[in-house]
Amino acid sequence: MVHISPNYKLTEDNFFKMCIILYRIQSGIPVVLMGESGVGKTSLITELIKIIKAELIVFQVHAGKRKR
């Protein structure tokens, strides 16, 4: 049985994204999630990792302005 956090909304779009990410993981292809802040990238991958019982390594990469 799959347990998804009660605070996570599993939509058709999220499910489709999880399937694509899982396919890439199983194929040995690196996964990079990109998007605006607050769109749910971290929560989507966190829920997927719980489902497949895998290790999650997170790199926070920010474009930010360069200071002079």
Side-chain angles (χ1 to χ4, degrees):
M1 175 171 272
V2 175
H3 295 284
I4 295 180
S5 300
N7 296 334
Y8 187 74
K9 176 76 172 170
L10 183 60
T11 64
E12 185 177 322
D13 184 54
N14 290 348
F15 178 75
F16 181 68
K17 288 175 184 175
M18 285 181 174
C19 290
I20 292 171
I21 293 168
L22 183 57
Y23 174 75
R24 291 179 66 93
I25 291 170
Q26 291 175 340
S27 299
I29 302 169
V31 177
V32 176
L33 299 179
M34 296 174 56
E36 297 295 321
S37 297
V39 296
K41 298 177 299 290
T42 303
S43 57
L44 181 133
I45 197 71
T46 302
E47 289 300 320
L48 178 59
I49 293 302
K50 286 181 197 174
I51 292 168
I52 65 172
K53 297 177 175 86
E55 180 183 6
L56 174 63
I57 301 170
V58 177
F59 294 95
Q60 296 289 337
V61 180
H62 301 279
K65 291 185 178 179
R66 195 164 111 190
K67 294 184 180 180
R68 292 181 178 194

